[in-house]
Amino acid sequence: MEFFLQIPDRPYFVHQTDQLSNLPHLHGHIEIIYMRKGATLAVADAKESLTGEGDLFIAFPNQIHYYEDLPGEHDVFLLIASGELCPEFQHVFQNYLPATPVLKRACENSKIVSALEGIRQSAAEGGKYVDAEIKGNLLILLSELLKNMALEAKKDYGANLLTDIFHYCYENYLEDISLRTLADKLQVNHYSISRIFNERFHIGFREYINSLRIERACELLKESNSDITDIAFAVGYNSIRTFNRSFQKLMKQTPREYRQQIRQ
């Protein structure tokens, strides 16, 4: 299973992949996928959009989104960027959402294709001015996207139960969180929340929390020299046994094996 990758030390993440995350997630960044090959069902705030070869999907900051890859080979360009890179569009991101998050046949827009290639090339080559180069191409990319997409005003934050649920999970998954504490906080019947996870996202509440914790554990295993037991407690587990079991279930290897593999 692939997880959403937190941006480590720069306000952007550029990646070419053949598999997208089917784990519902949200973050405070812009996420763009450009389908170079294959197709996926991209979902943003429960809006499903078929994204095929040559199409481009965008999730605005704090939109719940995930992907269900369709059969066949995939070649996807993934860009995750902080809104700080493009303050010119902050008003748009704060007040609007795409009516439809997919721009069909984006491959026919030469400015979009050129901007995407510029971002890819700059990220690959690096250099002293890489951040400025990526920012410049990102501004061109967003200008073309927003010019060709219909936007609609955001609804009030509290009006969207899905958003409230995911915000609370992201802010509290390291704590001793349960379905009942979440239900009490949002003043919603806990059976309703459980049904949302099972019917809409085909994942249980506890499984989702474990996924967030294991994602964070993977980052710590890669980036720190902390003891595995300390990492287990740091990401919200009360026993190393439960942590190891959850980690192996999701990652198909032990935490120690993962650390050794990622550092080779």
Side-chain angles (χ1 to χ4, degrees):
M1 175 179 289
E2 288 195 5
F3 297 99
F4 162 70
L5 299 173
Q6 299 287 346
I7 299 171
D9 57 355
R10 284 183 172 170
Y12 55 83
F13 175 78
V14 179
H15 185 50
Q16 191 162 328
T17 182
D18 60 2
Q19 183 180 7
L20 293 164
S21 174
N22 61 1
L23 177 70
H25 59 281
L26 76 150
H27 45 75
H29 307 290
I30 307 149
E31 182 164 320
I32 293 172
I33 65 162
Y34 176 60
M35 297 298 299
R36 296 161 59 108
K37 186 177 183 180
T40 189
L41 187 66
V43 183
D45 286 345
K47 287 185 178 180
E48 297 181 350
S49 301
L50 179 62
T51 310
E53 188 169 326
D55 297 342
L56 186 148
F57 167 88
I58 181 170
F60 277 25
N62 297 314
Q63 276 196 291
I64 301 164
H65 55 286
Y66 64 99
Y67 310 96
E68 294 181 359
D69 287 341
L70 300 181
E73 295 183 8
H74 298 83
D75 183 6
V76 186
F77 178 83
L78 170 66
L79 169 65
I80 302 172
S82 168
E84 296 176 0
L85 275 176
C86 45
E88 296 85 351
F89 297 108
Q90 283 291 10
H91 173 75
V92 175
F93 297 134
Q94 289 171 359
N95 296 284
Y96 298 93
L97 291 172
T100 302
V102 171
L103 181 62
K104 292 291 186 179
R105 307 306 301 165
C107 59
E108 296 177 357
N109 186 311
S110 60
K111 289 185 178 180
I112 287 178
V113 173
S114 177
L116 288 169
E117 177 58 23
I119 291 170
R120 187 203 64 78
Q121 187 171 345
S122 294
E125 295 177 353
K128 184 177 180 180
Y129 301 108
V130 59
D131 291 353
E133 292 173 359
I134 287 179
K135 176 178 179 177
N137 280 298
L138 179 62
L139 289 172
I140 294 171
L141 174 60
L142 291 174
S143 295
E144 284 300 305
L145 277 178
L146 297 177
K147 189 164 60 178
N148 288 280
M149 299 183 85
L151 301 177
E152 56 188 21
K154 279 186 178 180
K155 297 179 180 179
D156 291 338
Y157 172 78
N160 191 328
L161 177 59
L162 284 175
T163 302
D164 289 351
I165 289 171
F166 278 85
H167 268 287
Y168 188 84
C169 289
Y170 261 77
E171 292 169 0
N172 295 278
Y173 72 89
L174 297 177
E175 308 300 327
D176 186 17
I177 184 175
S178 70
L179 191 59
R180 289 191 177 275
T181 60
L182 173 59
D184 290 344
K185 180 68 177 179
L186 300 181
Q187 298 183 326
V188 178
N189 186 293
H190 73 278
Y191 292 112
S192 298
I193 298 177
S194 180
R195 189 167 60 251
I196 286 173
F197 276 97
N198 290 320
E199 293 182 1
R200 295 290 297 277
F201 302 116
H202 311 294
I203 186 173
F205 169 78
R206 180 52 54 190
E207 186 181 357
Y208 181 68
I209 294 299
N210 283 336
S211 296
L212 296 177
R213 289 174 172 174
I214 298 305
E215 174 189 4
R216 178 58 181 154
C218 287
E219 294 172 358
L220 294 175
L221 287 166
K222 179 181 179 181
E223 299 168 3
S224 77
N225 294 316
S226 298
D227 184 80
I228 291 176
T229 300
D230 292 337
I231 289 176
F233 285 97
V235 299
Y237 288 94
N238 294 320
S239 78
I240 186 65
R241 182 180 179 182
T242 303
F243 170 69
N244 284 334
R245 185 168 60 245
S246 297
F247 194 99
Q248 192 149 11
K249 180 180 179 180
L250 286 172
M251 304 304 295
K252 311 304 181 188
Q253 58 187 162
T254 67
R256 190 175 306 279
E257 289 169 342
Y258 176 83
R259 173 175 267 174
Q260 291 173 345
Q261 175 185 312
I262 207 70
R263 293 187 174 184
Q264 286 179 352

